């Protein structure tokens, strides 16, 4: 038995708070949306009952309009800011007011295939479909096929250089005093800067003042980005929803899901930029491409069957970024001005991003590149433990330690 698998399971046990898993103790003391979906996939390998429970607890936070928020505050904690009093949402359980990448349906399909428990899958499928519809109505009201984010935190890649230009337009004034807790748990050099935090909270204040109404938020948003990573994850989730609809006999839903997927597939392809060898997001306020060199530009591998020249170009570019690094894949292109190998989402390698890229490389006929990335990820975790992320230059584990999604990713990648 692989002793690291045993350690990974122990981390999930120690981060269990009663049917839901916190990402790590103290730094993130609640249930996070995409973290929980990755964790459920980890549980699906050896405890399908607990995997279902993880998703069921997340759905307790789903809003009436279909949104599944990025944080569900099941129980109080004073080790995290911003807490429920800052979000001012009105769901039955306190939640944040924004969302996160929709990995949920991807996890549900894996779980259903592992357990085949239709009675438990069906209500979760309903929740996933409702959330899917929310994305297209609330975050693509103009029907472009690309999904917009109204806050950097919705991307999951909270502090990415991809947001620098759009975020710089957001005022640093806040109605809410910014009382950071994260820098008490983790070295400040690894975390977002103070002025960025003020912009993050300015956006929260703005949307809370809209009563979290999606149409009002759309009008008021100073930050509005049609984002390639989230849209690609949504398309993969849409493909998995379609498979589930067929397996569950939900024939009435199939045409709607297929239409969503077709529109988004076409929209993502239009964001390919041959000169950059990657896909780009679009700033909807300025109408400009976001050319910041981040991992998001490669995530379409996950959900598109690309023509060989495009795949070859992506793979070559990924190799160029990874050259000479101890751990691939960096979340920012090494050597550019915004590259910071230890700072949150501005350079570090993340096991879950690698997991998505590995699946994408396999899908697009590059098993060797996928295997190289898998080995790099596994080695980093075995050398440094289950850290939140890794410095690609030194290999050092950074951020929160004993991290749930790193444990889940390890289980999947070790079995491959």
């Amino acid at each position: 038995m692989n002793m690291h698998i045993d350690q990974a399971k122990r981390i999930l046990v120690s981060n269990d708070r009663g049917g839901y898993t916190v990402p790590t103790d103290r730094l993130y003391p609640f249930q996070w949306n995409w973290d929980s979906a990755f964790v459920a996939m980890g549980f699906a390998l050896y405890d399908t009952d607990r995997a279902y429970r993880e998703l069921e607890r997340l759905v307790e936070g789903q809003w009436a309009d279909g949104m599944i928020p990025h944080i569900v505050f099941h129980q109080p904690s004073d080790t995290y800011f911003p807490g429920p009093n800052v979000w001012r949402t009105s769901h039955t359980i306190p939640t944040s007011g924004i969302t996160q990448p929709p990995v949920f349906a991807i996890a549900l399909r894996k779980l259903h295939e592992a357990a085949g428990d239709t009675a438990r899958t069906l209500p979760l499928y309903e929740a996933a479909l409702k959330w899917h519809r929310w994305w297209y109505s609330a975050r693509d009201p103009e029907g472009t096929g690309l999904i917009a984010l109204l806050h950097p935190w919705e991307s999951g890649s909270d502090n990415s250089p991809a947001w620098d230009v759009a975020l710089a337009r957001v005022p640093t004034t806040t109605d809410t005093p910014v009382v950071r807790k994260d820098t008490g748990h983790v070295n400040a050099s690894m975390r977002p800067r103070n002025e960025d935090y003020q912009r993050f909270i300015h956006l929260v204040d703005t949307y809370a003042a809209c009563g979290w109404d999606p149409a009002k938020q759309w009008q008021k948003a100073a930050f509005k980005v049609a984002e390639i990573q989230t849209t690609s994850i949504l398309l993969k989730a849409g493909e998995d929803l379609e498979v589930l609809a067929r397996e569950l006999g939900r024939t009435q839903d199939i045409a709607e899901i297929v239409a969503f997927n077709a529109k988004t597939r076409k929209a993502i392809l239009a964001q390919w930029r041959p000169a950059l060898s990657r896909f780009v997001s679009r700033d909807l306020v300025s109408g400009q491409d976001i050319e910041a060199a981040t991992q998001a530009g490669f995530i379409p591998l996950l959900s598109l069957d690309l023509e060989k020249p495009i795949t070859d170009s992506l793979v070559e570019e990924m190799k160029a970024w990874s050259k000479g690094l101890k751990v691939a894949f960096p979340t920012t292109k090494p050597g550019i001005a915004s590259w910071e190998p230890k700072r949150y989402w501005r350079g570090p390698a993340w096991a879950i991003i690698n997991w998505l890229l590995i699946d994408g490389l396999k899908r697009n006929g590059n098993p060797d590149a996928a295997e190289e990335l898998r080995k790099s990820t596994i080695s980093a975790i075995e050398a440094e433990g289950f850290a939140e992320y890794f410095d690609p230059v030194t290999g050092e584990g950074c951020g929160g330690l004993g991290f749930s999604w790193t444990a889940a990713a390890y289980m999947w990648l070790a079995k491959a």
Side-chain angles (χ1 to χ4, degrees):
M1 180 63 186
N2 178 334
M3 68 166 189
H4 298 287
I5 296 268
D6 282 347
Q7 281 175 314
K9 288 180 178 175
R10 280 202 294 277
I11 282 169
L12 295 189
V13 168
S14 69
N15 288 337
D16 189 324
R17 297 293 180 271
Y20 69 93
T21 310
V22 298
T24 188
D25 195 36
R26 292 172 61 243
L27 179 61
Y28 301 115
F30 308 107
Q31 185 175 24
W32 259 259
N33 185 327
W34 75 323
D35 292 74
S36 268
F38 285 114
V39 164
M41 290 191 262
F43 280 129
L45 294 169
Y46 66 98
D47 186 348
T48 54
D49 175 62
R50 182 61 185 77
Y52 274 116
R53 199 75 204 103
E54 188 74 33
L55 297 180
E56 287 160 356
R57 296 289 331 249
L58 182 59
V59 167
E60 289 172 21
Q62 185 167 33
W63 289 17
D65 67 1
M67 182 181 79
I68 303 182
H70 93 298
I71 309 173
V72 185
F73 301 106
H74 291 288
Q75 54 194 43
S77 168
D78 59 5
T79 66
Y80 178 80
F81 174 86
N85 58 326
V86 178
W87 290 100
R88 295 157 276 181
T89 59
S90 58
H91 185 63
T92 47
I93 301 173
T95 71
S96 68
I98 57 175
T99 191
Q100 248 184 346
V103 180
F104 186 90
I106 302 172
L108 183 59
R109 178 182 170 185
K110 277 189 162 55
L111 177 52
H112 184 71
E113 285 172 355
D117 186 342
T118 302
R120 285 185 90 174
T121 300
L122 197 53
L124 294 170
Y125 162 83
E126 299 267 9
L129 180 59
K130 202 173 166 191
W131 187 22
H132 211 72
R133 288 171 174 147
W134 175 88
W135 277 107
Y136 283 101
S137 63
R139 294 307 171 78
D140 184 23
E142 282 137 42
T144 67
L146 293 176
I147 294 307
L149 307 181
L150 303 187
H151 196 296
W153 287 344
E154 295 196 305
S155 67
S157 307
D158 303 9
N159 196 41
S160 170
W163 322 130
D164 289 356
V165 174
L167 199 60
R169 290 193 298 260
V170 176
T172 53
T173 52
T174 64
D175 305 334
T176 304
V178 175
V179 189
R180 293 185 66 172
K181 304 284 179 117
D182 57 325
T183 47
H185 311 303
V186 171
N187 188 314
S189 67
M190 297 180 187
R191 299 294 300 170
R193 294 180 169 84
N194 282 334
E195 69 179 85
D196 292 329
Y197 243 83
Q198 288 176 274
R199 297 182 208 280
F200 295 153
I201 299 304
H202 178 93
L203 291 170
V204 172
D205 288 339
T206 302
Y207 303 146
C210 296
W212 299 106
D213 174 282
K216 289 181 185 157
Q217 288 172 256
W218 189 263
Q219 286 173 328
K220 285 275 198 296
F223 179 96
K224 197 186 295 187
V225 171
E227 208 269 315
I228 208 74
Q229 175 170 287
T230 308
T231 302
S232 299
I233 291 170
L234 184 73
L235 176 54
K236 178 70 176 84
E239 290 182 332
D240 290 342
L241 267 182
E242 186 191 333
V243 169
L244 286 167
R246 292 182 195 283
E247 286 186 9
L248 298 167
R250 293 294 298 252
T251 46
Q252 71 275 26
D253 301 335
I254 294 169
E256 178 189 9
I257 298 167
V258 167
F260 282 145
N261 293 347
K263 181 164 67 171
T264 291
R265 200 170 285 123
K266 197 173 154 192
I268 296 174
L269 272 172
Q271 296 305 109
W272 170 247
R273 299 292 178 267
L276 301 175
S277 298
R278 51 192 155 78
F279 291 84
V280 298
S281 298
R282 186 184 306 132
D283 184 333
L284 294 180
V285 177
S286 68
Q288 303 293 306
D289 278 359
I290 294 176
E291 293 191 353
T294 74
Q295 86 289 345
F298 303 92
I299 301 289
L301 284 161
L302 178 71
S303 52
L304 293 178
D305 298 308
L306 295 161
E307 291 170 3
K308 193 169 184 306
I310 294 183
T311 305
D312 289 349
S313 190
L314 286 164
V315 171
E316 280 310 302
E317 185 70 1
M318 285 179 75
K319 279 184 184 150
W321 287 29
S322 306
K323 198 173 169 32
L325 295 181
K326 198 161 181 184
V327 184
F329 182 70
T331 43
T332 301
K333 185 178 182 176
I336 64 173
S338 51
W339 152 254
E340 296 183 81
K342 275 191 173 53
R343 197 183 293 275
Y344 195 61
W345 292 107
R346 299 183 80 84
W350 298 68
I352 51 117
I353 291 296
N354 289 359
W355 181 2
L356 297 175
L357 289 169
I358 288 161
D359 281 357
L361 288 165
K362 285 183 185 164
R363 173 177 188 152
N364 281 284
N366 280 268
D368 295 348
E371 181 56 16
E372 222 168 288
L373 187 51
R374 185 186 79 87
K375 282 186 177 147
S376 180
T377 314
I378 289 285
S379 307
I381 295 169
E382 290 180 353
E384 287 284 320
F386 298 90
E388 184 175 5
Y389 53 82
F390 300 87
D391 178 328
V393 178
T394 64
E396 181 193 346
C398 300
L401 303 175
F403 220 85
S404 297
W405 72 9
T406 310
Y410 182 83
M411 289 183 214
W412 271 93
L413 297 177
K415 84 176 187 62

